[in-house]
Amino acid sequence: MAEKQLRRNLAVLPIGTVMKLTGQTARQIRYYESQELVLPERTPGHQRLFSLNDVDRLLEIKDYLAEGATMVQIRQIYRKQAQKMQQRHLTDTKARQLLAEEMLSVGGLVGQRPSISQSSKLY
DNA sequence: ATTCTCACA
DNA sequence: TGTGAGCA
């Protein structure tokens, strides 16, 4: 299931394709990028390459706008979403550290080589 | 043919 | 947000 998500994040669509897929103009798409609402990659020649997730994001923006939302509000929506994602990541990291320490204490005498600080970095 | 950045009779 | 200019 992680493999599929990886493909959705593959940046392979040039702006022309994204325009047709979202019905937005290149001007708008580039503007949304300047607002950091989408983060397309670049080819060696500086051309934007969007992923399917970027397209979904643009479609979402289109809906929010249609519902009367302003760019400020939309930006707020995503920055809060990013905050929660980060918090979830932090609690995950904390849980993994606890698990790592737990495994070390249970393993006790066995793995006393790596210090806790070093081994936790592996997760 | 396409996309990019920049600027505005 | 549109549009034309001059590049890559």
Side-chain angles (χ1 to χ4, degrees), chain A residues 34-92:
Chain A
S34 76
Q35 298 305 295
E36 300 179 276
L37 295 176
V38 285
L39 40 148
E41 286 173 25
R42 296 292 182 124
T43 66
H46 304 152
Q47 293 194 303
R48 275 167 263 253
L49 287 183
F50 300 78
S51 69
L52 292 175
N53 281 328
D54 287 328
V55 173
D56 286 341
R57 170 66 68 91
L58 288 171
L59 255 17
E60 268 186 59
I61 296 171
K62 187 180 181 185
D63 288 338
Y64 282 133
L65 253 27
E67 292 172 30
T70 67
M71 290 301 294
V72 219
Q73 297 176 308
I74 296 178
R75 292 186 58 176
Q76 189 180 76
I77 291 175
Y78 289 125
R79 67 173 171 70
K80 287 193 174 182
Q81 205 169 73
Q83 279 180 31
K84 295 190 176 182
M85 288 282 282
Q86 182 173 310
Q87 283 177 37
R88 188 168 66 70
H89 177 273
L90 287 178
T91 57
D92 269 20

Side-chain angles (χ1 to χ4, degrees), chain A residues 14-31:
Chain A
I15 200 169
T17 304
V18 178
M19 288 174 65
K20 292 174 182 175
L21 255 29
T22 65
Q24 295 166 321
T25 66
R27 181 79 163 83
Q28 292 176 302
I29 297 172
R30 295 184 184 122
Y31 173 66

